[in-house]
Amino acid sequence: MRKLVLMDHDGGVDDLLSQLLLLTMQEIELLGITVTPADCFIEPALESSYKLLQVTQKEHIPLGRGEYYGINAFPSEWRARPEVINALPMLINLPRAPDPYTYPAAVDLIVKKLMQASGTVQILLTGPCSNLVFALEKQPELKNKIAQVVWMAGAFDVPGNVQTYQHNGTAEWNAFWDPISTQKLVALQLPLVFVPLDVTNHVPVTKSFLSRLAAQLSYPLSHLAGQMWAMTIDTIPSYHYVYYMWDILATSFLLIPQAFTTKPVQVNVSTRPPNAGQTYVDEHGWTATRVTGVDIASFYEFILTQFKK
């Protein structure tokens, strides 16, 4: 029996690659995809999401439009990347995507799909967690339909990746965008798995990996993924950041959990400056699971294999 999964992403290059990766997983039934306007502008991000459904012939999977714009906005130059993705050679001439304002609200789609699900559902979050939190505030009983939440978020024993005013650099962006919802999600005491910067820092997007992917260009999804990853080389200037496989790593956890090591952790979240969005260990905090390591070679091989499908 296939695993039931709902995905919420926020439209960045890594998020869209993660959606593409998820669409290759035959072991998974993807019930729906919701998009948060965090690391994207919502209209082109929904277009990109739909185009990836077209490429994989899965247009039947419903999309939901996030209507909440968070507390701490991502930089605008990062948010514009879906516009470039929509112009890639493999995507630009696909049939026109629907009007983005015809999609249901993300919160409503999450509620609907959880209510209709024949069993418990895994939630994959590669952006902020706000839509899921709002859905569970609207229908608290749906907590029982959630088997696990896998969230690319947080930084525990390493510096964060937020560099902005009134912040000390301890937070990761997905948690920082809406620190209040981050704290609420942890407090819900769901089976929550953090895939934090501590482990994603070990899986950079390297030119050696891109070279191996380029050797697979006869496979259409490898070709498309290679085009998308090539965009990341200058997405974030290297003197500020390195581009990692943040969301791809979290997505892989759904199918190859045996390649990861985890441990339980007591977590708390700051909601105020100067460390808003910081996730930290607190003996009085809430229980969650933290990914602490990954078999890097197995992970990269898994990605290369999936994009041959």
Side-chain angles (χ1 to χ4, degrees):
M1 184 175 180
R2 295 194 296 169
K3 297 179 180 179
L4 304 179
V5 173
L6 276 171
M7 181 185 196
D8 189 294
H9 70 70
D10 67 335
V13 176
D14 198 32
D15 298 86
L16 293 165
L17 279 160
S18 296
Q19 177 186 327
L20 188 62
L21 178 63
L22 196 58
L23 291 167
T24 71
M25 296 180 180
Q26 298 172 351
E27 302 86 345
I28 280 173
E29 181 180 349
L30 186 54
L31 302 177
I33 300 166
T34 51
V35 182
T36 296
D39 195 13
C40 68
F41 295 103
I42 192 66
E43 297 85 358
L46 283 166
E47 182 180 352
S48 298
S49 298
Y50 184 76
K51 284 177 180 288
L52 296 184
L53 294 178
Q54 288 179 299
V55 165
T56 53
Q57 299 181 341
K58 294 183 178 179
E59 298 98 318
H60 65 279
I61 296 174
L63 295 173
R65 184 189 71 255
E67 299 180 317
Y68 174 66
Y69 283 80
I71 296 171
N72 301 301
F74 276 76
S76 294
E77 57 270 26
W78 299 1
R79 299 177 66 197
R81 302 309 282 182
E83 289 279 18
V84 183
I85 289 174
N86 291 332
L88 291 175
M90 288 184 63
L91 302 181
I92 192 167
N93 289 326
L94 290 174
R96 185 177 180 85
D99 180 335
Y101 293 95
T102 62
Y103 292 118
V107 171
D108 293 340
L109 183 62
I110 292 171
V111 167
K112 177 182 178 180
K113 289 300 176 180
L114 286 175
M115 290 180 69
Q116 292 178 342
S118 58
T120 57
V121 177
Q122 284 186 291
I123 310 289
L124 173 65
L125 305 176
T126 63
C129 64
S130 310
N131 286 328
L132 177 60
V133 169
F134 297 154
L136 293 177
E137 287 180 338
K138 188 173 183 178
Q139 299 283 154
E141 71 277 9
L142 293 177
K143 281 179 60 177
N144 297 325
K145 296 297 291 284
I146 295 175
Q148 187 181 59
V149 178
V150 177
W151 188 20
M152 191 280 112
F156 292 90
D157 297 327
V158 298
N161 59 5
V162 172
Q163 298 179 16
T164 190
Y165 298 103
Q166 289 192 289
H167 204 279
N168 63 9
T170 56
E172 178 276 327
W173 263 104
N174 286 341
F176 173 65
W177 188 77
D178 182 3
I180 293 173
S181 288
T182 298
Q183 187 185 69
K184 286 181 176 179
L185 179 65
V186 174
L188 281 170
Q189 288 292 263
L190 295 164
L192 173 61
V193 179
F194 280 98
V195 184
L197 297 184
D198 307 59
V199 64
T200 62
N201 284 352
H202 297 290
V203 287
V205 179
T206 64
K207 288 188 177 179
S208 61
F209 170 80
L210 295 182
S211 177
R212 293 184 67 193
L213 186 63
Q216 303 182 174
L217 289 188
S218 59
Y219 296 93
L221 296 188
S222 291
H223 196 168
L224 178 57
Q227 291 175 348
M228 293 169 69
W229 257 311
M231 292 172 51
T232 69
I233 299 300
D234 70 344
T235 295
I236 304 175
S238 60
Y239 53 82
H240 285 307
Y241 295 100
V242 174
Y243 206 97
Y244 294 97
M245 295 191 185
W246 300 288
D247 302 335
I248 287 283
L249 190 66
T251 304
S252 300
F253 183 84
L254 297 181
L255 215 59
I256 53 167
Q258 69 276 8
F260 294 78
T261 55
T262 64
K263 71 176 184 180
V265 64
Q266 298 297 115
V267 180
N268 212 327
V269 181
S270 174
T271 60
R272 301 182 301 186
N275 63 328
Q278 181 187 11
T279 52
Y280 59 94
V281 176
D282 179 356
E283 64 179 6
H284 303 297
W286 294 281
T287 302
T289 299
R290 167 186 164 188
V291 173
T292 56
V294 60
D295 182 328
I296 296 171
S298 295
F299 163 70
Y300 282 124
E301 288 297 331
F302 171 72
I303 301 304
L304 291 166
T305 299
Q306 289 298 121
F307 283 135
K308 286 183 177 179
K309 294 184 177 180

mmCIF file of all heavy atoms in Angstrom, residues 131-153:
data_model
loop_
_atom_site.group_PDB
_atom_site.id
_atom_site.type_symbol
_atom_site.label_atom_id
_atom_site.label_comp_id
_atom_site.label_asym_id
_atom_site.label_seq_id
_atom_site.Cartn_x
_atom_site.Cartn_y
_atom_site.Cartn_z
ATOM 1 N N ASN A 131 0.557 27.097 6.962
ATOM 2 C CA ASN A 131 -0.684 26.533 6.419
ATOM 3 C C ASN A 131 -1.149 25.327 7.222
ATOM 4 O O ASN A 131 -2.345 25.165 7.498
ATOM 5 C CB ASN A 131 -0.497 26.136 4.947
ATOM 6 C CG ASN A 131 -0.461 27.332 4.023
ATOM 7 O OD1 ASN A 131 -1.101 28.340 4.275
ATOM 8 N ND2 ASN A 131 0.289 27.215 2.944
ATOM 9 N N LEU A 132 -0.218 24.473 7.614
ATOM 10 C CA LEU A 132 -0.589 23.300 8.401
ATOM 11 C C LEU A 132 -1.119 23.721 9.770
ATOM 12 O O LEU A 132 -2.141 23.193 10.244
ATOM 13 C CB LEU A 132 0.617 22.368 8.566
ATOM 14 C CG LEU A 132 0.384 21.138 9.443
ATOM 15 C CD1 LEU A 132 -0.722 20.255 8.888
ATOM 16 C CD2 LEU A 132 1.674 20.336 9.606
ATOM 17 N N VAL A 133 -0.456 24.658 10.411
ATOM 18 C CA VAL A 133 -0.907 25.130 11.729
ATOM 19 C C VAL A 133 -2.309 25.718 11.635
ATOM 20 O O VAL A 133 -3.187 25.411 12.457
ATOM 21 C CB VAL A 133 0.088 26.155 12.299
ATOM 22 C CG1 VAL A 133 -0.488 26.845 13.534
ATOM 23 C CG2 VAL A 133 1.410 25.470 12.647
ATOM 24 N N PHE A 134 -2.552 26.538 10.630
ATOM 25 C CA PHE A 134 -3.874 27.149 10.480
ATOM 26 C C PHE A 134 -4.944 26.096 10.203
ATOM 27 O O PHE A 134 -6.075 26.199 10.685
ATOM 28 C CB PHE A 134 -3.864 28.188 9.358
ATOM 29 C CG PHE A 134 -2.951 29.358 9.601
ATOM 30 C CD1 PHE A 134 -2.427 30.076 8.539
ATOM 31 C CD2 PHE A 134 -2.603 29.748 10.891
ATOM 32 C CE1 PHE A 134 -1.578 31.157 8.747
ATOM 33 C CE2 PHE A 134 -1.763 30.820 11.119
ATOM 34 C CZ PHE A 134 -1.240 31.523 10.045
ATOM 35 N N ALA A 135 -4.599 25.065 9.429
ATOM 36 C CA ALA A 135 -5.557 23.992 9.143
ATOM 37 C C ALA A 135 -5.936 23.254 10.420
ATOM 38 O O ALA A 135 -7.117 22.932 10.638
ATOM 39 C CB ALA A 135 -4.969 23.030 8.114
ATOM 40 N N LEU A 136 -4.954 22.999 11.278
ATOM 41 C CA LEU A 136 -5.231 22.267 12.513
ATOM 42 C C LEU A 136 -5.913 23.153 13.550
ATOM 43 O O LEU A 136 -6.620 22.641 14.424
ATOM 44 C CB LEU A 136 -3.938 21.672 13.064
ATOM 45 C CG LEU A 136 -3.336 20.566 12.178
ATOM 46 C CD1 LEU A 136 -2.012 20.075 12.755
ATOM 47 C CD2 LEU A 136 -4.305 19.399 11.994
ATOM 48 N N GLU A 137 -5.714 24.447 13.468
ATOM 49 C CA GLU A 137 -6.498 25.345 14.324
ATOM 50 C C GLU A 137 -7.956 25.372 13.875
ATOM 51 O O GLU A 137 -8.871 25.484 14.705
ATOM 52 C CB GLU A 137 -5.901 26.748 14.294
ATOM 53 C CG GLU A 137 -4.590 26.880 15.053
ATOM 54 C CD GLU A 137 -3.998 28.267 15.018
ATOM 55 O OE1 GLU A 137 -4.334 29.050 14.096
ATOM 56 O OE2 GLU A 137 -3.184 28.591 15.915
ATOM 57 N N LYS A 138 -8.172 25.239 12.598
ATOM 58 C CA LYS A 138 -9.529 25.231 12.053
ATOM 59 C C LYS A 138 -10.245 23.922 12.354
ATOM 60 O O LYS A 138 -11.447 23.909 12.660
ATOM 61 C CB LYS A 138 -9.459 25.457 10.540
ATOM 62 C CG LYS A 138 -10.786 25.673 9.854
ATOM 63 C CD LYS A 138 -10.564 26.063 8.392
ATOM 64 C CE LYS A 138 -11.881 26.366 7.707
ATOM 65 N NZ LYS A 138 -11.679 26.794 6.286
ATOM 66 N N GLN A 139 -9.513 22.793 12.269
ATOM 67 C CA GLN A 139 -10.090 21.467 12.507
ATOM 68 C C GLN A 139 -9.141 20.667 13.397
ATOM 69 O O GLN A 139 -8.393 19.808 12.920
ATOM 70 C CB GLN A 139 -10.311 20.723 11.187
ATOM 71 C CG GLN A 139 -11.264 21.391 10.221
ATOM 72 C CD GLN A 139 -12.727 21.211 10.622
ATOM 73 O OE1 GLN A 139 -13.571 22.014 10.280
ATOM 74 N NE2 GLN A 139 -13.030 20.164 11.357
ATOM 75 N N PRO A 140 -9.135 20.935 14.717
ATOM 76 C CA PRO A 140 -8.162 20.302 15.619
ATOM 77 C C PRO A 140 -8.200 18.774 15.609
ATOM 78 O O PRO A 140 -7.171 18.132 15.834
ATOM 79 C CB PRO A 140 -8.539 20.857 17.000
ATOM 80 C CG PRO A 140 -9.294 22.115 16.723
ATOM 81 C CD PRO A 140 -10.010 21.880 15.426
ATOM 82 N N GLU A 141 -9.351 18.201 15.339
ATOM 83 C CA GLU A 141 -9.474 16.736 15.370
ATOM 84 C C GLU A 141 -8.654 16.062 14.267
ATOM 85 O O GLU A 141 -8.381 14.854 14.344
ATOM 86 C CB GLU A 141 -10.942 16.324 15.259
ATOM 87 C CG GLU A 141 -11.586 16.543 13.910
ATOM 88 C CD GLU A 141 -12.093 17.975 13.676
ATOM 89 O OE1 GLU A 141 -11.795 18.849 14.516
ATOM 90 O OE2 GLU A 141 -12.770 18.186 12.657
ATOM 91 N N LEU A 142 -8.233 16.825 13.274
ATOM 92 C CA LEU A 142 -7.461 16.245 12.167
ATOM 93 C C LEU A 142 -6.035 15.896 12.574
ATOM 94 O O LEU A 142 -5.319 15.260 11.791
ATOM 95 C CB LEU A 142 -7.458 17.193 10.961
ATOM 96 C CG LEU A 142 -8.823 17.372 10.282
ATOM 97 C CD1 LEU A 142 -8.728 18.381 9.148
ATOM 98 C CD2 LEU A 142 -9.363 16.037 9.757
ATOM 99 N N LYS A 143 -5.632 16.281 13.756
ATOM 100 C CA LYS A 143 -4.328 15.827 14.270
ATOM 101 C C LYS A 143 -4.222 14.310 14.197
ATOM 102 O O LYS A 143 -3.144 13.759 13.948
ATOM 103 C CB LYS A 143 -4.133 16.268 15.719
ATOM 104 C CG LYS A 143 -3.727 17.702 15.925
ATOM 105 C CD LYS A 143 -3.576 18.036 17.402
ATOM 106 C CE LYS A 143 -2.523 17.180 18.087
ATOM 107 N NZ LYS A 143 -2.332 17.559 19.511
ATOM 108 N N ASN A 144 -5.340 13.638 14.415
ATOM 109 C CA ASN A 144 -5.343 12.174 14.444
ATOM 110 C C ASN A 144 -5.129 11.550 13.066
ATOM 111 O O ASN A 144 -4.867 10.348 12.967
ATOM 112 C CB ASN A 144 -6.664 11.661 15.028
ATOM 113 C CG ASN A 144 -6.850 12.088 16.476
ATOM 114 O OD1 ASN A 144 -5.884 12.172 17.217
ATOM 115 N ND2 ASN A 144 -8.085 12.374 16.863
ATOM 116 N N LYS A 145 -5.255 12.348 12.002
ATOM 117 C CA LYS A 145 -5.052 11.834 10.645
ATOM 118 C C LYS A 145 -3.599 11.985 10.193
ATOM 119 O O LYS A 145 -3.260 11.598 9.067
ATOM 120 C CB LYS A 145 -5.980 12.573 9.658
ATOM 121 C CG LYS A 145 -7.454 12.359 9.888
ATOM 122 C CD LYS A 145 -7.869 10.905 9.702
ATOM 123 C CE LYS A 145 -7.800 10.424 8.261
ATOM 124 N NZ LYS A 145 -8.910 10.906 7.420
ATOM 125 N N ILE A 146 -2.751 12.545 11.039
ATOM 126 C CA ILE A 146 -1.369 12.818 10.646
ATOM 127 C C ILE A 146 -0.446 11.754 11.229
ATOM 128 O O ILE A 146 -0.326 11.609 12.446
ATOM 129 C CB ILE A 146 -0.930 14.218 11.097
ATOM 130 C CG1 ILE A 146 -1.768 15.277 10.361
ATOM 131 C CG2 ILE A 146 0.554 14.438 10.830
ATOM 132 C CD1 ILE A 146 -1.520 16.694 10.816
ATOM 133 N N ALA A 147 0.207 10.998 10.338
ATOM 134 C CA ALA A 147 1.145 9.965 10.783
ATOM 135 C C ALA A 147 2.492 10.556 11.160
ATOM 136 O O ALA A 147 3.151 10.083 12.096
ATOM 137 C CB ALA A 147 1.336 8.929 9.666
ATOM 138 N N GLN A 148 2.904 11.599 10.446
ATOM 139 C CA GLN A 148 4.220 12.184 10.664
ATOM 140 C C GLN A 148 4.289 13.508 9.915
ATOM 141 O O GLN A 148 3.695 13.661 8.849
ATOM 142 C CB GLN A 148 5.310 11.229 10.144
ATOM 143 C CG GLN A 148 6.744 11.630 10.444
ATOM 144 C CD GLN A 148 7.715 10.612 9.866
ATOM 145 O OE1 GLN A 148 7.738 10.356 8.665
ATOM 146 N NE2 GLN A 148 8.518 9.998 10.727
ATOM 147 N N VAL A 149 5.023 14.461 10.487
ATOM 148 C CA VAL A 149 5.353 15.708 9.798
ATOM 149 C C VAL A 149 6.866 15.741 9.622
ATOM 150 O O VAL A 149 7.608 15.689 10.605
ATOM 151 C CB VAL A 149 4.889 16.945 10.592
ATOM 152 C CG1 VAL A 149 5.294 18.226 9.854
ATOM 153 C CG2 VAL A 149 3.382 16.908 10.824
ATOM 154 N N VAL A 150 7.323 15.802 8.381
ATOM 155 C CA VAL A 150 8.750 15.929 8.082
ATOM 156 C C VAL A 150 8.975 17.361 7.617
ATOM 157 O O VAL A 150 8.412 17.784 6.602
ATOM 158 C CB VAL A 150 9.196 14.929 6.993
ATOM 159 C CG1 VAL A 150 10.672 15.132 6.653
ATOM 160 C CG2 VAL A 150 8.941 13.500 7.455
ATOM 161 N N TRP A 151 9.789 18.103 8.361
ATOM 162 C CA TRP A 151 9.933 19.538 8.097
ATOM 163 C C TRP A 151 11.394 19.918 7.947
ATOM 164 O O TRP A 151 12.195 19.712 8.861
ATOM 165 C CB TRP A 151 9.307 20.340 9.230
ATOM 166 C CG TRP A 151 9.224 21.822 8.955
ATOM 167 C CD1 TRP A 151 9.268 22.449 7.742
ATOM 168 C CD2 TRP A 151 9.049 22.862 9.915
ATOM 169 N NE1 TRP A 151 9.145 23.811 7.879
ATOM 170 C CE2 TRP A 151 9.004 24.090 9.205
ATOM 171 C CE3 TRP A 151 8.928 22.865 11.307
ATOM 172 C CZ2 TRP A 151 8.848 25.312 9.857
ATOM 173 C CZ3 TRP A 151 8.778 24.085 11.941
ATOM 174 C CH2 TRP A 151 8.729 25.297 11.230
ATOM 175 N N MET A 152 11.743 20.468 6.797
ATOM 176 C CA MET A 152 13.064 21.058 6.633
ATOM 177 C C MET A 152 13.036 22.411 7.340
ATOM 178 O O MET A 152 12.512 23.392 6.818
ATOM 179 C CB MET A 152 13.384 21.239 5.135
ATOM 180 C CG MET A 152 14.844 21.613 4.833
ATOM 181 S SD MET A 152 15.220 23.357 5.091
ATOM 182 C CE MET A 152 16.303 23.221 6.517
ATOM 183 N N ALA A 153 13.601 22.429 8.537
ATOM 184 C CA ALA A 153 13.573 23.662 9.331
ATOM 185 C C ALA A 153 14.508 23.527 10.516
ATOM 186 O O ALA A 153 14.839 22.424 10.953
ATOM 187 C CB ALA A 153 12.148 23.953 9.827
#
